[in-house]
Short mmCIF file of all heavy atoms in Angstrom, two decimals:
data_model
loop_
_atom_site.label_atom_id
_atom_site.label_comp_id
_atom_site.label_asym_id
_atom_site.label_seq_id
_atom_site.Cartn_x
_atom_site.Cartn_y
_atom_site.Cartn_z
N ASN A 1 19.11 0.11 6.64
CA ASN A 1 20.25 0.13 7.54
C ASN A 1 21.58 0.20 6.83
O ASN A 1 22.59 0.49 7.42
CB ASN A 1 20.23 -1.11 8.45
CG ASN A 1 19.22 -1.00 9.56
OD1 ASN A 1 18.85 0.12 9.98
ND2 ASN A 1 18.73 -2.08 10.09
N THR A 2 21.57 -0.05 5.51
CA THR A 2 22.81 0.10 4.74
C THR A 2 23.05 1.56 4.36
O THR A 2 24.13 1.92 3.86
CB THR A 2 22.76 -0.74 3.43
OG1 THR A 2 21.76 -0.22 2.55
CG2 THR A 2 22.47 -2.18 3.77
N LEU A 3 22.03 2.41 4.56
CA LEU A 3 22.18 3.84 4.25
C LEU A 3 22.63 4.59 5.50
O LEU A 3 22.00 4.52 6.52
CB LEU A 3 20.82 4.39 3.76
CG LEU A 3 20.18 3.64 2.60
CD1 LEU A 3 18.80 4.25 2.28
CD2 LEU A 3 21.05 3.66 1.35
N SER A 4 23.69 5.34 5.34
CA SER A 4 24.26 6.00 6.51
C SER A 4 24.09 7.49 6.48
O SER A 4 23.66 8.14 7.45
CB SER A 4 25.75 5.64 6.70
OG SER A 4 26.45 5.93 5.51
N ASP A 5 24.44 8.16 5.35
CA ASP A 5 24.38 9.60 5.27
C ASP A 5 22.90 10.04 5.16
O ASP A 5 22.12 9.41 4.49
CB ASP A 5 25.15 10.10 4.05
CG ASP A 5 26.63 9.83 4.18
OD1 ASP A 5 27.12 9.75 5.33
OD2 ASP A 5 27.30 9.71 3.15
N PRO A 6 22.53 11.15 5.79
CA PRO A 6 21.18 11.66 5.72
C PRO A 6 20.85 12.22 4.32
O PRO A 6 21.75 12.59 3.54
CB PRO A 6 21.14 12.72 6.79
CG PRO A 6 22.54 13.19 6.93
CD PRO A 6 23.39 11.99 6.65
N PHE A 7 19.56 12.31 4.03
CA PHE A 7 19.09 12.83 2.73
C PHE A 7 18.32 14.11 2.95
O PHE A 7 17.52 14.21 3.86
CB PHE A 7 18.20 11.78 2.09
CG PHE A 7 18.88 10.48 1.76
CD1 PHE A 7 18.85 9.42 2.68
CD2 PHE A 7 19.55 10.31 0.55
CE1 PHE A 7 19.48 8.23 2.39
CE2 PHE A 7 20.18 9.09 0.27
CZ PHE A 7 20.17 8.06 1.18
N ASP A 8 18.50 15.05 2.03
CA ASP A 8 17.77 16.31 2.11
C ASP A 8 16.31 16.09 1.74
O ASP A 8 15.43 16.84 2.23
CB ASP A 8 18.38 17.34 1.15
CG ASP A 8 19.83 17.64 1.45
OD1 ASP A 8 20.14 17.78 2.67
OD2 ASP A 8 20.65 17.71 0.52
N LEU A 9 16.03 15.08 0.92
CA LEU A 9 14.65 14.79 0.51
C LEU A 9 14.47 13.28 0.47
O LEU A 9 15.26 12.56 -0.11
CB LEU A 9 14.42 15.39 -0.90
CG LEU A 9 13.07 15.01 -1.58
CD1 LEU A 9 11.88 15.52 -0.76
CD2 LEU A 9 13.04 15.55 -2.99
N ILE A 10 13.37 12.86 1.06
CA ILE A 10 12.96 11.46 0.97
C ILE A 10 11.50 11.42 0.47
O ILE A 10 10.64 12.12 1.01
CB ILE A 10 13.04 10.73 2.32
CG1 ILE A 10 14.46 10.74 2.86
CG2 ILE A 10 12.52 9.29 2.22
CD1 ILE A 10 14.58 10.21 4.31
N ILE A 11 11.29 10.67 -0.58
CA ILE A 11 9.94 10.52 -1.17
C ILE A 11 9.57 9.04 -1.20
O ILE A 11 10.31 8.24 -1.77
CB ILE A 11 9.82 11.13 -2.55
CG1 ILE A 11 10.18 12.62 -2.55
CG2 ILE A 11 8.38 10.96 -3.11
CD1 ILE A 11 10.11 13.28 -3.93
N VAL A 12 8.42 8.68 -0.62
CA VAL A 12 7.89 7.34 -0.73
C VAL A 12 6.83 7.40 -1.83
O VAL A 12 5.72 7.95 -1.62
CB VAL A 12 7.30 6.85 0.59
CG1 VAL A 12 6.73 5.42 0.40
CG2 VAL A 12 8.36 6.86 1.68
N ALA A 13 7.19 6.89 -3.00
CA ALA A 13 6.29 6.94 -4.16
C ALA A 13 5.66 5.61 -4.49
O ALA A 13 5.03 5.47 -5.52
CB ALA A 13 7.05 7.47 -5.36
N SER A 14 5.86 4.63 -3.61
CA SER A 14 5.30 3.29 -3.85
C SER A 14 3.84 3.30 -3.52
O SER A 14 3.33 4.07 -2.69
CB SER A 14 6.03 2.27 -2.99
OG SER A 14 7.39 2.22 -3.29
N GLY A 15 3.12 2.33 -4.11
CA GLY A 15 1.70 2.20 -3.83
C GLY A 15 1.02 1.38 -4.88
O GLY A 15 1.59 1.11 -5.94
N ALA A 16 -0.19 0.96 -4.62
CA ALA A 16 -0.95 0.18 -5.61
C ALA A 16 -2.43 0.36 -5.39
O ALA A 16 -2.91 0.47 -4.24
CB ALA A 16 -0.57 -1.31 -5.53
N LEU A 17 -3.17 0.36 -6.47
CA LEU A 17 -4.62 0.44 -6.43
C LEU A 17 -5.22 -0.95 -6.51
O LEU A 17 -6.24 -1.26 -5.90
CB LEU A 17 -5.14 1.30 -7.58
CG LEU A 17 -6.63 1.60 -7.66
CD1 LEU A 17 -7.10 2.24 -6.36
CD2 LEU A 17 -6.89 2.56 -8.84
N GLU A 18 -4.56 -1.82 -7.28
CA GLU A 18 -4.93 -3.23 -7.35
C GLU A 18 -3.77 -4.07 -6.86
O GLU A 18 -2.62 -3.86 -7.23
CB GLU A 18 -5.22 -3.65 -8.79
CG GLU A 18 -6.52 -3.18 -9.33
CD GLU A 18 -6.84 -3.81 -10.71
OE1 GLU A 18 -6.20 -4.85 -11.04
OE2 GLU A 18 -7.66 -3.26 -11.44
N ILE A 19 -4.05 -5.05 -5.97
CA ILE A 19 -3.04 -5.96 -5.49
C ILE A 19 -3.56 -7.39 -5.64
O ILE A 19 -4.66 -7.69 -5.20
CB ILE A 19 -2.69 -5.68 -4.02
CG1 ILE A 19 -2.17 -4.23 -3.85
CG2 ILE A 19 -1.64 -6.67 -3.49
CD1 ILE A 19 -1.92 -3.85 -2.45
N ASN A 20 -2.78 -8.22 -6.29
CA ASN A 20 -3.17 -9.64 -6.52
C ASN A 20 -4.53 -9.74 -7.20
O ASN A 20 -5.35 -10.60 -6.87
CB ASN A 20 -3.18 -10.40 -5.19
CG ASN A 20 -1.77 -10.51 -4.57
OD1 ASN A 20 -0.78 -10.58 -5.27
ND2 ASN A 20 -1.73 -10.47 -3.25
N GLY A 21 -4.77 -8.81 -8.13
CA GLY A 21 -5.97 -8.88 -8.92
C GLY A 21 -7.25 -8.35 -8.24
O GLY A 21 -8.33 -8.39 -8.83
N ALA A 22 -7.15 -7.88 -7.02
CA ALA A 22 -8.32 -7.37 -6.30
C ALA A 22 -8.56 -5.91 -6.71
O ALA A 22 -7.77 -5.03 -6.40
CB ALA A 22 -8.09 -7.47 -4.79
N GLU A 23 -9.64 -5.68 -7.43
CA GLU A 23 -9.98 -4.36 -7.89
C GLU A 23 -10.64 -3.54 -6.75
O GLU A 23 -11.16 -4.13 -5.80
CB GLU A 23 -10.95 -4.43 -9.07
CG GLU A 23 -10.34 -5.13 -10.28
CD GLU A 23 -11.28 -5.10 -11.46
OE1 GLU A 23 -12.46 -4.70 -11.29
OE2 GLU A 23 -10.83 -5.48 -12.56
N PRO A 24 -10.59 -2.23 -6.85
CA PRO A 24 -11.25 -1.39 -5.84
C PRO A 24 -12.73 -1.75 -5.71
O PRO A 24 -13.39 -1.94 -6.73
CB PRO A 24 -11.05 0.03 -6.36
CG PRO A 24 -9.87 -0.04 -7.26
CD PRO A 24 -9.91 -1.39 -7.90
N GLU A 25 -13.22 -1.80 -4.50
CA GLU A 25 -14.62 -2.23 -4.27
C GLU A 25 -15.58 -1.12 -4.71
O GLU A 25 -15.32 0.05 -4.46
CB GLU A 25 -14.87 -2.53 -2.81
CG GLU A 25 -13.86 -3.49 -2.18
CD GLU A 25 -12.73 -2.78 -1.45
OE1 GLU A 25 -12.55 -1.54 -1.71
OE2 GLU A 25 -12.02 -3.44 -0.68
N LYS A 26 -16.64 -1.52 -5.34
CA LYS A 26 -17.70 -0.57 -5.66
C LYS A 26 -18.64 -0.33 -4.50
O LYS A 26 -19.39 0.67 -4.45
CB LYS A 26 -18.49 -1.06 -6.86
CG LYS A 26 -17.67 -1.13 -8.15
CD LYS A 26 -18.50 -1.61 -9.32
CE LYS A 26 -17.66 -1.64 -10.60
NZ LYS A 26 -18.46 -2.14 -11.77
N SER A 27 -18.59 -1.25 -3.52
CA SER A 27 -19.51 -1.18 -2.39
C SER A 27 -18.85 -1.86 -1.18
O SER A 27 -17.97 -2.70 -1.34
CB SER A 27 -20.82 -1.89 -2.74
OG SER A 27 -21.55 -2.22 -1.57
N ILE A 28 -19.31 -1.50 0.00
CA ILE A 28 -18.85 -2.13 1.24
C ILE A 28 -19.15 -3.63 1.20
O ILE A 28 -18.45 -4.44 1.82
CB ILE A 28 -19.47 -1.48 2.48
CG1 ILE A 28 -18.81 -1.96 3.76
CG2 ILE A 28 -20.98 -1.72 2.52
CD1 ILE A 28 -17.41 -1.48 3.96
N ARG A 29 -20.14 -4.04 0.42
CA ARG A 29 -20.51 -5.44 0.34
C ARG A 29 -19.43 -6.27 -0.35
O ARG A 29 -19.43 -7.50 -0.21
CB ARG A 29 -21.85 -5.58 -0.41
CG ARG A 29 -23.04 -4.99 0.28
CD ARG A 29 -24.34 -5.35 -0.43
NE ARG A 29 -24.40 -4.78 -1.75
CZ ARG A 29 -24.83 -3.57 -2.05
NH1 ARG A 29 -25.23 -2.73 -1.09
NH2 ARG A 29 -24.86 -3.12 -3.30
N ALA A 30 -18.54 -5.61 -1.06
CA ALA A 30 -17.49 -6.32 -1.80
C ALA A 30 -16.19 -6.43 -1.02
O ALA A 30 -15.22 -7.04 -1.48
CB ALA A 30 -17.21 -5.62 -3.12
N VAL A 31 -16.15 -5.92 0.18
CA VAL A 31 -14.91 -5.94 0.98
C VAL A 31 -14.46 -7.37 1.35
O VAL A 31 -15.32 -8.19 1.72
CB VAL A 31 -15.07 -5.09 2.28
CG1 VAL A 31 -13.98 -5.40 3.30
CG2 VAL A 31 -15.07 -3.60 1.95
N SER A 32 -13.18 -7.62 1.20
CA SER A 32 -12.65 -8.91 1.67
C SER A 32 -11.46 -8.58 2.61
O SER A 32 -10.74 -7.60 2.41
CB SER A 32 -12.15 -9.77 0.53
OG SER A 32 -10.85 -9.37 0.06
N ALA A 33 -11.30 -9.42 3.61
CA ALA A 33 -10.26 -9.18 4.62
C ALA A 33 -8.87 -9.21 3.95
O ALA A 33 -8.03 -8.38 4.24
CB ALA A 33 -10.32 -10.20 5.70
N ARG A 34 -8.66 -10.18 3.03
CA ARG A 34 -7.35 -10.33 2.41
C ARG A 34 -6.98 -9.08 1.59
O ARG A 34 -5.86 -8.57 1.68
CB ARG A 34 -7.36 -11.55 1.51
CG ARG A 34 -6.04 -11.87 0.80
CD ARG A 34 -4.97 -12.35 1.78
NE ARG A 34 -4.11 -11.31 2.27
CZ ARG A 34 -3.32 -11.40 3.32
NH1 ARG A 34 -3.31 -12.54 4.00
NH2 ARG A 34 -2.58 -10.42 3.70
N ALA A 35 -7.93 -8.64 0.77
CA ALA A 35 -7.64 -7.47 -0.06
C ALA A 35 -7.39 -6.22 0.79
O ALA A 35 -6.48 -5.43 0.45
CB ALA A 35 -8.80 -7.22 -1.03
N MET A 36 -8.11 -6.08 1.86
CA MET A 36 -7.92 -4.88 2.72
C MET A 36 -6.58 -4.97 3.43
O MET A 36 -5.86 -3.96 3.51
CB MET A 36 -9.06 -4.77 3.73
CG MET A 36 -8.96 -3.54 4.60
SD MET A 36 -10.41 -3.22 5.62
CE MET A 36 -11.50 -2.45 4.41
N MET A 37 -6.20 -6.11 3.89
CA MET A 37 -4.90 -6.29 4.55
C MET A 37 -3.77 -6.00 3.59
O MET A 37 -2.75 -5.37 3.96
CB MET A 37 -4.78 -7.67 5.17
CG MET A 37 -5.60 -7.83 6.44
SD MET A 37 -5.29 -9.40 7.32
CE MET A 37 -6.15 -10.55 6.25
N ASP A 38 -3.92 -6.43 2.32
CA ASP A 38 -2.90 -6.18 1.32
C ASP A 38 -2.73 -4.68 1.10
O ASP A 38 -1.60 -4.19 0.94
CB ASP A 38 -3.22 -6.89 0.01
CG ASP A 38 -3.04 -8.39 0.08
OD1 ASP A 38 -2.35 -8.87 1.01
OD2 ASP A 38 -3.59 -9.09 -0.80
N GLN A 39 -3.84 -3.96 1.02
CA GLN A 39 -3.78 -2.52 0.82
C GLN A 39 -3.07 -1.81 1.98
O GLN A 39 -2.24 -0.93 1.75
CB GLN A 39 -5.20 -1.97 0.63
CG GLN A 39 -5.85 -2.27 -0.70
CD GLN A 39 -5.24 -1.46 -1.81
OE1 GLN A 39 -4.74 -0.36 -1.64
NE2 GLN A 39 -5.26 -2.00 -3.01
N PHE A 40 -3.42 -2.22 3.19
CA PHE A 40 -2.80 -1.58 4.36
C PHE A 40 -1.30 -1.92 4.43
O PHE A 40 -0.50 -1.06 4.77
CB PHE A 40 -3.53 -2.00 5.64
CG PHE A 40 -4.66 -1.10 6.00
CD1 PHE A 40 -5.84 -1.15 5.31
CD2 PHE A 40 -4.51 -0.16 7.03
CE1 PHE A 40 -6.92 -0.29 5.62
CE2 PHE A 40 -5.57 0.68 7.35
CZ PHE A 40 -6.77 0.62 6.63
N ALA A 41 -0.95 -3.15 4.11
CA ALA A 41 0.44 -3.56 4.18
C ALA A 41 1.32 -2.69 3.25
O ALA A 41 2.40 -2.25 3.66
CB ALA A 41 0.57 -5.04 3.79
N LEU A 42 0.86 -2.42 2.06
CA LEU A 42 1.67 -1.68 1.11
C LEU A 42 1.53 -0.15 1.27
O LEU A 42 2.51 0.58 1.29
CB LEU A 42 1.30 -2.07 -0.34
CG LEU A 42 2.05 -1.32 -1.43
CD1 LEU A 42 3.56 -1.53 -1.30
CD2 LEU A 42 1.54 -1.77 -2.80
N ASN A 43 0.28 0.32 1.37
CA ASN A 43 0.01 1.75 1.31
C ASN A 43 0.10 2.48 2.63
O ASN A 43 0.25 3.71 2.66
CB ASN A 43 -1.37 1.99 0.70
CG ASN A 43 -1.45 1.58 -0.75
OD1 ASN A 43 -0.48 1.65 -1.49
ND2 ASN A 43 -2.62 1.12 -1.16
N ALA A 44 0.02 1.72 3.75
CA ALA A 44 0.07 2.41 5.06
C ALA A 44 1.24 1.89 5.92
O ALA A 44 2.07 2.69 6.36
CB ALA A 44 -1.24 2.19 5.79
N ILE A 45 1.31 0.59 6.11
CA ILE A 45 2.36 0.04 6.99
C ILE A 45 3.72 0.25 6.34
O ILE A 45 4.71 0.59 7.02
CB ILE A 45 2.09 -1.43 7.30
CG1 ILE A 45 0.78 -1.59 8.03
CG2 ILE A 45 3.24 -2.02 8.11
CD1 ILE A 45 0.33 -3.02 8.20
N GLY A 46 3.82 0.06 5.02
CA GLY A 46 5.10 0.24 4.34
C GLY A 46 5.72 1.61 4.56
O GLY A 46 6.87 1.70 5.04
#
């Protein structure tokens, strides 16, 4: 909201493969709710 003038180009380059030490799962059996929510919060909702 502090930005007023429009930009010709906007790039969202943020993201993470590991968050809070949670490595990518090798199997669906390794899924945890917390790790998945952290991924969605940064990589999708952000």
